[in-house]
Amino acid sequence: MSKWVLKGLETGVKTTVYPEKTETASGVTQGRPERLELLKDKRSVVNICPTGAFKINKNIYEIDLTRCIHCLRCLRSPEFPPAGWTGDYEWAFSVSEKTMKGPFSHCLHIRVVDGGACRACLCEISQTGAPYYNIHRLGFFITPTPRAADVLMVAGPVTDHMRFPLKEAYEAMPEPRAVVAVGTCALSGGIFGRSFASSGGVSEILPVDIAIPGCPPPPLAIIHGLLILTGRRPSLSVIDKPESRRKDK
Amino acid sequence: MVVETEIYKKLHDLSERIRHLLTNSVTVSIEPENLLCSIECNVDALPVVCKQLVSRIGLSFATMIVEESNEEWLIQYVFYSSRIHILVNVMVRQEIDNPSFPSMSSIVHALDWQEREAEDLFGIVFEGHPVLGDFVLHEEWPEGVNPMRRTFRPEMPYPHKETRPEWQPRRILQEPGAFMMPIGPIFSGISESAHFLLETVGEDVVRSIPRFFYKYRGVEKIAEGKHPMEVVLLAERFAGTSAFAHSLAFCHAVESIAGVEVPERAVQIRILFAEFERFRHHISCIEAICNSTGLAVAASQAAILEEEALRLSCEFAGHRYLFGLNIPGGLSKDLSKEDCTGLLKRTDNILKRLDRLYKMLQYSSSFLDRLEEVGIICTEDAIDYGLVGPVARASGVCNDIRKALPYKGYENVEFSVPCETEGDGYARLRVFFQEAFQSVMIMSQTIERLSDEPIYIPIKDYPEGSAIGWVEAPAGAAFHYVRIDSRGRVIRYRLTTPSFTNWHGFHLAAEGFAFQDFPIILATFGLSIAESDR
Ligand code: SF4
Ligand code: SF4
């Protein structure tokens, strides 16, 4: 067994510098589409979006991240100039007023439920517990039982057959409890939408507190969502204003 | 031309042989351009036809496709020959108001679940099938509602019973102390939703009864009426961890309907990423296996390698799970020369560390004890259930679609198909490792002879027609059937996935072993429930 101990030591520390600093390693995030100035030739880019994630607001094309399925078409379409794209990952946001500050903020137990996710979202959630991200150091733990959980983390559009198991898991949790929806599917149904077999998002079934968009959201975005919940990082709408962008880099 | 006549000759010989075996009950035709031999027969002749194809000609089962038109039901049973690399398609028809076909599951065991699925979704009765009903649609659904029927409207949530009915399969064990142990649908940890009932008298699992389709998202139904450019998004997102393989199979199908030859470079880069995905997928399976045995350091090591592979995907393809890369007609992003060498070099680096991990695991006796002679599937069972992918190859069934039905690009690469015979957990682990090594070898061969062509050829419009696309997905053989109507929309999309095929045989491995081995056996299968439930 000693060789495994040595192997572990030899590997050294891999863990990300986030949230103390900004993680700059390449490939930690696929980025996200950004708001656009209303330009004539950008209109076609907007039409290209398969889920209608672009919204027009006065002279700006805004992105509804809860609909973006990261198909990258607005970025890569051969016919049109690419949309704006940013390579960040702090894009989770809070939907309700609920936070878990105070005694809870460094000891949060999370129950993960699969509501029909394609598995990519679940893999990204698992990665948050692996050495590169290691959420344990931040005081977040995955728990097997809803009875001991503070947070219910749901991925997937909540299929028809998962409605009851999901509700049961939620009801088994003690107060105070929060619901975190991970992935575009969990926010709007994503590519599966609302249909005979899927409810079109967790909020159809349970009150959602934190939204983590992305298809799938990279592990850092998931961590960002948990940090918002515990009041340790600001939510997207605040970050998005240029003047409040972080300066450490 | 030589190749084509060769295919023609093979198909011709085969069709002659089939005609000879089945005399006058069938009509046989061949389509050399699609590598296809079609057999039309009537319902009564079906059992004889299937029996002869499987036992005399030695074909393997690929997929079953049900289609409904205004006047009739059409079922296609698709088989393939791994010896002469062609498809054989058996078509039977029935009038629309008589949805009844003989069950073929006693002849082709892999059809068991296919028929159960079609019964739930289309309302077709398969005479002679031992257990129909309660498969895809759980009890909340009223009898007689069949979502895949043309008349069913998929847009809105379906109103049905609100109480949660209990699932109570029949118990078989009658001994005192026998009980049923439920696992799921919400497991411990981060896992997909599925339900298993383990019937036992104490230590050993005597019977394992799975219940799937908790994650049923109706992908085949919601794809109907959509443009292929939209359906490709579904194809990659219904099973995110093998997204590239499935979008590739879909693209193969629609490209063959459109009669488009994608440029050589696109074919090669597709192989590159398909193999890279297999590499990453297998690392993730290895991590799950280490995790299930409680070997934390090894699991962490594998997780590190997996994350590095994900980062590489993102850096070179723009997405950590390779979404958005495949589009009908080619790829959405090209790789520069430096990209290729960079990708290969860094993949090689991951590979070296994976190899070191493999060597360490081979000498960790406490780890091997948990895997060896656990969860055994023997060769006969693997053949009988028509298992595919690494699971089958660990049980001595050396079948790989890349060799059995070579698709674009694989004709020129040299690689071996790792095969083990023990059929236990350790054999499956070894297959995962060796296949990951082979994948990197294929990548390096492909990069060497990368051609200078465009990577995309636009497909203007889609003619009416249907086709099957296939790939060897990381978990095994996947078949995508697409039919496009006169408006250029998809009207039937049928997915046969390796996870669906292999979950059917999973109970064989779980039964007869102790409870505490169950999670380990589950991990060694390396299957996805999303891929099976669709
Ligand atoms: S990535 Fe795709 S889904 Fe997201 S905004 Fe762009 S086009 Fe729309
Ligand atoms: S949001 Fe995207 S990655 Fe997540 S479950 Fe849905 S399809 Fe999969």
Side-chain angles (χ1 to χ4, degrees):
Chain A
M1 271 301 104
S2 56
K3 64 178 182 188
W4 286 112
V5 178
L6 282 176
K7 177 87 190 164
L9 290 174
E10 176 198 302
T11 310
V13 178
K14 293 271 180 195
T15 312
T16 172
V17 290
Y18 183 76
E20 282 76 37
K21 297 209 185 86
T22 307
E23 175 64 67
T24 52
S26 62
V28 289
T29 171
Q30 46 256 24
R32 65 186 166 100
E34 222 179 6
R35 325 191 314 152
L36 299 176
E37 295 289 320
L38 186 61
L39 292 174
K40 226 182 187 163
D41 54 352
K42 295 263 162 124
R43 181 174 288 273
S44 16
V45 174
V46 171
N47 293 341
I48 239 172
C49 178
T51 55
F54 287 90
K55 274 192 295 200
I56 302 175
N57 185 6
K58 295 196 193 107
N59 278 341
I60 303 259
Y61 278 116
E62 286 188 338
I63 304 286
D64 180 359
L65 277 183
T66 64
R67 288 175 165 273
C68 172
I69 54 165
H70 272 112
C71 69
L72 309 173
R73 285 190 185 163
C74 55
L75 184 68
R76 287 189 187 157
S77 159
E79 288 110 58
F80 307 112
W85 198 269
T86 146
D88 68 349
Y89 47 81
E90 282 197 315
W91 65 53
F93 55 91
S94 52
V95 188
S96 74
E97 298 292 296
K98 190 179 281 174
T99 53
M100 294 215 155
K101 287 186 191 152
F104 278 112
S105 74
H106 283 78
C107 179
L108 210 62
H109 284 84
I110 304 159
R111 168 72 250 201
V112 180
V113 173
D114 166 19
C118 74
R119 202 168 172 210
C121 272
L122 295 172
C123 282
E124 295 292 55
I125 299 174
S126 322
Q127 271 299 338
T128 61
Y132 265 111
Y133 299 100
N134 188 12
I135 47 169
H136 305 154
R137 82 203 143 98
L138 301 169
F140 302 131
F141 306 94
I142 306 289
T143 166
T145 139
R147 293 249 179 257
D150 310 301
V151 176
L152 189 67
M153 193 178 251
V154 192
V158 189
T159 53
D160 204 66
H161 291 151
M162 279 310 287
R163 279 176 311 151
F164 293 117
L166 181 63
K167 269 191 209 157
E168 274 175 19
Y170 181 71
E171 272 147 27
M173 287 167 63
E175 290 277 5
R177 56 192 169 184
V179 178
V180 175
V182 179
T184 301
C185 280
L187 296 174
S188 64
I191 188 72
F192 307 108
R194 192 173 147 81
S195 77
F196 72 106
S198 79
S199 340
V202 182
S203 58
E204 303 288 327
I205 314 283
L206 301 176
V208 174
D209 301 304
I210 301 284
I212 309 180
C215 185
L220 289 173
I222 298 172
I223 297 177
H224 178 229
L226 293 172
L227 291 172
I228 298 171
L229 181 66
T230 48
R232 287 147 71 183
R233 286 294 297 159
S235 153
L236 174 69
S237 56
V238 184
I239 292 174
D240 214 21
K241 291 195 192 98
E243 63 270 25
S244 71
R245 268 191 198 252
R246 313 184 53 186
K247 289 181 194 76
D248 54 13
K249 205 166 191 185
Chain B
M1 214 48 225
V2 182
V3 183
E4 265 162 43
T5 46
E6 205 179 295
I7 289 168
Y8 176 81
K9 188 166 174 302
K10 279 182 194 164
L11 280 169
H12 182 76
D13 291 352
L14 181 78
S15 62
E16 284 306 313
R17 189 150 170 233
I18 292 170
R19 274 198 201 103
H20 177 74
L21 277 174
L22 299 164
T23 57
N24 48 16
S25 52
V26 297
T27 345
V28 188
S29 58
I30 56 175
E31 296 170 34
E33 66 283 5
N34 294 333
L35 310 176
L36 184 70
C37 171
S38 294
I39 304 173
E40 279 256 20
C41 70
N42 62 28
V43 170
D44 304 325
L46 186 61
V48 184
V49 174
C50 287
K51 205 172 213 135
Q52 295 287 5
L53 290 181
V54 174
S55 54
R56 295 290 286 276
I57 304 188
L59 299 181
S60 318
F61 173 74
T63 172
M64 178 181 106
I65 303 150
V66 180
E67 283 183 276
E68 178 191 358
S69 68
N70 290 340
E71 320 79 48
E72 61 179 13
W73 291 102
L74 165 66
I75 299 193
Q76 306 184 52
Y77 299 86
V78 184
F79 299 86
Y80 65 95
S81 158
S82 42
R83 203 167 41 81
I84 56 169
H85 319 307
I86 47 105
L87 292 172
V88 175
N89 185 1
V90 181
M91 294 190 273
V92 279
R93 295 166 200 275
Q94 193 74 284
E95 274 160 27
I96 196 74
D97 40 19
N98 179 21
S100 156
F101 288 83
S103 166
M104 290 296 111
S105 59
S106 57
I107 299 165
V108 183
H109 197 71
L111 274 166
D112 176 9
W113 277 18
Q114 301 262 351
E115 289 179 352
R116 289 181 71 182
E117 184 187 338
E119 198 265 351
D120 260 10
L121 297 181
F122 285 97
I124 292 177
V125 180
F126 291 92
E127 313 270 352
H129 192 293
V131 267
L132 289 175
D134 185 26
F135 186 60
V136 179
L137 306 176
H138 296 175
E139 304 90 339
E140 299 104 284
W141 286 78
E143 289 297 312
V145 179
N146 307 109
M148 285 302 289
R149 292 293 305 260
R150 286 261 165 106
T151 45
F152 186 87
R153 302 260 50 96
E155 299 83 17
M156 290 310 289
Y158 188 76
H160 43 60
K161 295 184 231 160
E162 273 302 316
T163 53
R164 185 182 178 190
E166 282 305 313
W167 175 46
Q168 280 294 358
R170 188 144 17 107
R171 284 175 57 164
I172 290 184
L173 287 184
Q174 297 301 340
E175 280 172 64
F179 68 101
M180 280 222 184
M181 157 114 165
I183 300 185
I186 301 179
F187 282 56
S188 63
I190 305 165
S191 50
E192 294 187 84
S193 301
H195 200 149
F196 293 93
L197 274 184
L198 306 182
E199 198 170 4
T200 178
V201 266
E203 179 78 2
D204 285 355
V205 175
V206 178
R207 208 159 68 105
S208 119
I209 314 156
R211 170 138 121 148
F212 289 116
F213 294 100
Y214 281 92
K215 302 177 64 159
Y216 175 63
R217 287 147 293 168
V219 171
E220 290 179 8
K221 182 69 181 184
I222 56 182
E224 289 177 5
K226 291 203 165 110
H227 189 271
M229 275 302 271
E230 282 178 83
V231 180
V232 69
L233 297 170
L234 271 172
E236 62 190 9
R237 276 170 189 74
F238 80 91
T241 46
S242 26
F244 196 83
H246 287 295
S247 56
L248 186 55
F250 175 77
C251 287
H252 281 160
V254 292
E255 282 156 7
S256 113
I257 295 174
V260 166
E261 278 286 332
V262 294
E264 183 64 18
R265 187 178 176 84
V267 170
Q268 290 166 329
I269 296 187
R270 278 175 170 180
I271 294 191
L272 195 66
F273 282 116
E275 292 304 326
F276 189 70
E277 182 177 72
R278 189 183 323 277
F279 179 66
R280 190 211 66 222
H281 176 273
H282 286 4
I283 297 178
S284 150
C285 293
I286 292 163
E287 189 218 329
I289 295 172
C290 295
N291 218 345
S292 70
T293 60
L295 195 58
V297 181
S300 296
Q301 294 292 332
I304 288 174
L305 301 180
E306 188 195 357
E307 172 66 19
E308 286 177 13
L310 287 168
R311 288 184 183 186
L312 277 187
S313 306
C314 189
E315 213 178 313
F316 292 104
H319 194 285
R320 285 164 61 91
Y321 290 85
L322 303 171
F323 290 3
L325 197 54
N326 255 329
I327 36 175
L331 293 158
S332 68
K333 187 176 183 289
D334 200 357
L335 290 179
S336 70
K337 211 168 172 137
E338 296 77 59
D339 284 352
C340 292
T341 42
L343 175 64
L344 193 63
K345 201 168 138 231
R346 288 161 65 187
T347 311
D348 249 341
N349 176 291
I350 300 179
L351 180 79
K352 287 212 183 74
R353 285 141 71 204
L354 189 68
D355 191 34
R356 236 175 288 153
L357 181 67
Y358 186 31
K359 300 225 165 77
M360 283 183 77
L361 286 174
Q362 280 171 316
Y363 294 100
S364 297
S365 51
S366 62
F367 171 71
L368 298 185
D369 282 349
R370 305 297 308 270
L371 295 176
E372 275 173 321
E373 289 175 34
V374 166
I376 298 172
I377 294 192
C378 63
T379 311
E380 292 74 45
D381 282 343
I383 294 173
D384 184 31
Y385 277 71
L387 300 187
V388 293
V391 174
R393 294 193 281 272
S395 292
V397 184
C398 207
N399 200 357
D400 187 315
I401 293 293
R402 289 172 294 174
K403 295 261 191 207
L405 283 173
Y407 44 96
K408 274 186 231 113
Y410 280 101
E411 310 90 352
N412 308 323
V413 263
E414 275 174 38
F415 64 100
S416 65
V417 178
C419 216
E420 303 285 345
T421 48
E422 294 91 337
D424 61 354
Y426 185 39
R428 290 192 279 276
L429 180 79
R430 291 199 308 266
V431 169
F432 283 134
F433 269 109
Q434 287 160 21
E435 283 190 22
F437 301 153
Q438 290 294 323
S439 288
V440 180
M441 211 181 76
I442 299 175
M443 286 172 70
S444 73
Q445 284 183 39
T446 317
I447 284 181
E448 265 168 34
R449 51 171 94 99
L450 215 51
S451 67
D452 289 324
E453 274 178 56
I455 45 147
Y456 172 66
I457 168 168
I459 302 180
K460 287 276 163 328
D461 34 34
Y462 292 88
E464 213 172 332
S466 65
I468 298 180
W470 59 88
V471 293
E472 177 76 20
F479 296 88
H480 289 221
Y481 172 85
V482 183
R483 181 182 287 279
I484 289 181
D485 68 358
S486 53
R487 301 167 305 146
R489 300 278 157 162
V490 172
I491 46 162
R492 179 79 175 103
Y493 184 29
R494 167 80 183 136
L495 292 156
T496 297
T497 61
S499 293
F500 182 78
T501 315
N502 282 352
W503 278 124
H504 183 213
F506 173 74
H507 74 97
L508 295 168
E511 287 165 2
F513 295 95
F515 266 135
Q516 62 270 28
D517 291 332
F518 187 78
I520 299 179
I521 299 171
L522 208 59
T524 59
F525 262 64
L527 300 179
S528 152
I529 293 163
E531 192 181 71
S532 157
D533 288 1
R534 287 155 288 144

